[in-house]
Amino acid sequence: MSSEITGADIIVRCLAEEGVEHVFGYPGGAVLYIYDAIFKQDKFQHILVRHEQAAIHAADAYSRSSNKVGVALVTSGPGVTNAITGLATAYMDSIPMVIISGQVPSHAIGQDAFQECDTVGITRPCVKHNFLVKDVKDLALTMKKAFYIASTGRPGPVLVDIPKDITMNMAEYAYPKEIEMRSYKPVDKGHSGQIRKAMQLLLTAERPMIYTGGGVILANAAPELNKLVDKLGFPCTNTLMGLGAYRSTSEQFVGMPGMHGTYEANMAMQHCDVLIAIGARFDDRVIGNPKHFASVPRKIIHIDIDPSSISKRVKVDIPIVGNVKDVLVDMLAQLDAAETKPNATALASWWKQINEWRKKECLKYPASDEVIKPQSVVQKLWEVTKGDAFITSDVGQHQMWAAQYYGFDKPRRWINSGGLGTMGVGLPYAMGVQMANPDATVACVTGEASIQMCIQELATCKQYHLTPKIVLLNNRYLGMVRQWQQIDYGSRYSESYMDSLPDFDKLVEAYGHVGMTITKPSDVEGVLKDAFAMKDRLVFMNFITDRDENVWPMVKAGKGLSEMLLGSEDL
């Protein structure tokens, strides 16, 4: 009796070996053998989305919120091309995922077969790595490599393209326990000498600044970061992707930096004498104009798992390549052993200056009894959820307001598209988060334009009893586009109106959920409380907000961090 099994069964057993519990996908001809094998197993659950883009987004958020490798399954041709936006989104934010794509049979590759595309070629720029499996005997090893590459070093999505005949062919099943790859050896431990130099520099700083990014969260290094910041007594800023890495309720947290960061964070970034960047990449939305940023002399320490990110945009003085968690553990040990302590007098003077900048109250906005202010909705959301929800976001003004006004004290609670800025992610992100954290409170902050890009996923939520609360900040505009058009294009609002919106209440109810429209500021808190009390229903709250509200502060493109617009009076 043969012990060989089909390629499809090999795939299913590999996923089970990796401890996969959920796979997000959409079937098609090239993957039907895999779907048949899924039907016959009980190790993991398949979640049927309504569009392949949503499958990738949901698997992405599943990973972001759980520290597991997200898994998605799509068919060949349009299944793969629909998935590209999700892949690019995950790649830009370094999210560990494995995507299995179907391919036409091996003999038909290159023949313009039905639903054929060059998946390896198309996806190469937006994945960490990809594979085309040419022999069923290589399938198990390839799957092992995919999970290993996706989850180690700087994480990222890895795609495995599998021709249909490979899923039908037979082979012995052998899944390796460990993997060794000659061409891929990520470094975890930082250089002890460089860490020592960094600590010496930090302890002699007069105006120090700690700048952290998503790498801290991806490395599960938030506990070490909080200890380091607390022991040093230095100011700390978290980027958009790093929110929650250092707790926002600490007095040492100065807010988010960058284009829509706080005045105090940006001024401290610009005027510090020693800057330590931890798991951050000096993104253009964080530092503004690199020449302006470099105009103030400062010493820079940069810790990153990816050596190609160091000195890529900003020249640094002390590079440390390594896993952020490992490096911070070593830094804490050296700090405990150090005889030198931070310069208390200089630090007190520096905090005095920072507190002067704080007096600008840059996030203050005019209250209104007549129209709902979007910022107030986010603040009430924070109060009602006690700051303990998972918040997913789409992309636009609502994303920035969520980042500014919802205080995150824990990592992996803020799920948004930072690098690619992908509209449409909010709802599938909420699905992925809830699958990974079934007992958690999940809210999606979105806009009336973004939500319509993947609104069909309300059907997926109904099928799998997913009950996130949707907070729609509806200003009847492509809000961020309108803001830029007002500031940079002479208020010529070219195609930024949303002139024909659906009746969201009826649409949501047609999908089997609860819809509400809110127009009065006095109703905001009560509606939020009612919605979150409905534990077993998806509630879609359509808040009709001030349509002319802008996101402040703002650093315009090409400007430096200290050249902020604090409000419309600065225009």
Side-chain angles (χ1 to χ4, degrees), residues 4-190:
E4 292 186 339
I5 59 175
T6 67
D9 287 324
I10 289 173
I11 292 165
V12 165
R13 287 183 62 173
C14 290
L15 294 176
E17 292 259 17
E18 289 292 340
V20 171
E21 295 176 340
H22 297 94
V23 174
F24 299 87
Y26 201 94
V31 289
L32 285 185
Y33 283 110
I34 303 174
Y35 272 91
D36 194 46
I38 288 173
F39 184 85
K40 293 181 285 188
Q41 61 82 46
D42 61 1
K43 300 295 185 186
F44 58 83
Q45 181 184 13
H46 179 276
I47 309 300
L48 176 66
V49 297
R50 301 310 191 257
H51 192 288
E52 289 89 351
Q53 180 177 338
I56 312 299
H57 291 328
D60 171 348
Y62 185 92
S63 176
R64 292 183 199 238
S65 64
S66 69
N67 190 34
K68 298 174 183 174
V69 176
V71 180
L73 172 58
V74 300
T75 195
S76 63
V80 168
T81 56
N82 281 348
I84 295 297
T85 298
L87 287 172
T89 302
Y91 179 66
M92 287 287 280
D93 290 344
S94 304
I95 307 304
M97 293 170 58
V98 170
I99 300 89
I100 299 166
S101 60
Q103 183 55 275
V104 300
S106 302
H107 65 82
I109 292 176
Q111 303 298 311
D112 294 331
F114 177 66
Q115 291 195 330
E116 179 189 2
C117 69
D118 177 9
T119 298
V120 168
I122 289 172
T123 61
R124 183 174 286 123
C126 58
V127 294
K128 185 176 177 183
H129 194 65
N130 58 22
F131 297 93
L132 172 62
V133 181
K134 298 179 179 178
D135 189 325
V136 68
K137 294 185 183 70
D138 299 330
L139 190 50
L141 179 60
T142 302
M143 290 293 291
K144 183 69 178 181
K145 286 180 179 178
F147 276 90
Y148 176 63
I149 293 169
S151 59
T152 55
R154 180 177 182 173
V158 176
L159 181 134
V160 183
D161 196 35
I162 308 174
K164 187 170 184 176
D165 56 308
I166 301 297
T167 65
M168 180 180 62
N169 293 346
M170 310 283 285
E172 295 275 349
Y173 175 75
Y175 198 65
K177 294 292 181 191
E178 294 185 2
I179 194 85
E180 179 78 15
M181 298 177 67
R182 187 175 63 185
S183 59
Y184 176 71
K185 294 188 181 296
V187 173
D188 284 335
K189 295 292 285 182

Side-chain angles (χ1 to χ4, degrees), residues 417-434:
S417 168
L420 197 65
T422 305
M423 292 173 68
V425 297
L427 180 54
Y429 271 3
M431 290 162 28
V433 169
Q434 193 160 42

Side-chain angles (χ1 to χ4, degrees), residues 323-379:
N323 182 300
V324 166
K325 191 179 188 77
D326 290 339
V327 174
L328 291 183
V329 166
D330 290 346
M331 291 186 87
L332 283 164
Q334 290 199 19
L335 180 59
D336 288 340
E339 294 180 7
T340 310
K341 298 299 175 192
N343 184 330
T345 305
L347 194 56
S349 177
W350 179 226
W351 272 115
K352 185 179 179 184
Q353 173 62 76
I354 290 169
N355 288 328
E356 283 297 314
W357 290 327
R358 275 176 164 158
K359 288 179 183 176
K360 288 274 189 184
E361 296 185 306
C362 65
L363 296 181
K364 196 172 182 180
Y365 59 91
S368 172
D369 295 327
E370 305 297 322
V371 63
I372 296 173
K373 291 290 185 178
Q375 304 95 320
S376 70
V377 178
V378 177
Q379 287 179 316

Side-chain angles (χ1 to χ4, degrees), residues 241-378:
M241 296 307 301
L243 291 174
Y246 184 70
R247 61 194 188 282
S248 67
T249 48
S250 169
E251 274 296 307
Q252 288 172 242
F253 182 64
V254 293
M256 184 173 69
M259 174 173 275
H260 295 297
T262 66
Y263 184 76
E264 52 268 30
N266 283 348
M267 293 298 281
M269 284 278 286
Q270 187 65 17
H271 296 291
C272 62
D273 67 342
V274 174
L275 177 67
I276 178 168
I278 307 173
R281 57 190 179 90
F282 294 93
D283 178 72
D284 59 293
R285 290 295 174 99
V286 170
I287 66 162
N289 185 326
K291 286 186 179 177
H292 181 276
F293 186 71
S295 65
V296 177
R298 64 173 79 70
K299 294 288 185 183
I300 299 177
I301 303 159
H302 192 179
I303 304 168
D304 205 289
I305 189 73
D306 181 4
S308 72
S309 288
I310 295 179
S311 289
K312 186 175 185 176
R313 299 196 74 246
V314 170
K315 188 177 184 305
V316 306
D317 300 281
I318 302 178
I320 303 172
V321 177
N323 182 300
V324 166
K325 191 179 188 77
D326 290 339
V327 174
L328 291 183
V329 166
D330 290 346
M331 291 186 87
L332 283 164
Q334 290 199 19
L335 180 59
D336 288 340
E339 294 180 7
T340 310
K341 298 299 175 192
N343 184 330
T345 305
L347 194 56
S349 177
W350 179 226
W351 272 115
K352 185 179 179 184
Q353 173 62 76
I354 290 169
N355 288 328
E356 283 297 314
W357 290 327
R358 275 176 164 158
K359 288 179 183 176
K360 288 274 189 184
E361 296 185 306
C362 65
L363 296 181
K364 196 172 182 180
Y365 59 91
S368 172
D369 295 327
E370 305 297 322
V371 63
I372 296 173
K373 291 290 185 178
Q375 304 95 320
S376 70
V377 178
V378 177

Side-chain angles (χ1 to χ4, degrees), residues 64 83 217 325 347 377-378 433 462 477 479 485 493 499 527 553:
R64 292 183 199 238
I217 291 170
K325 191 179 188 77
L347 194 56
V377 178
V378 177
V433 169
K462 183 64 176 176
Y477 270 116
Q485 287 173 334
Y493 300 133
D499 280 344
V527 165

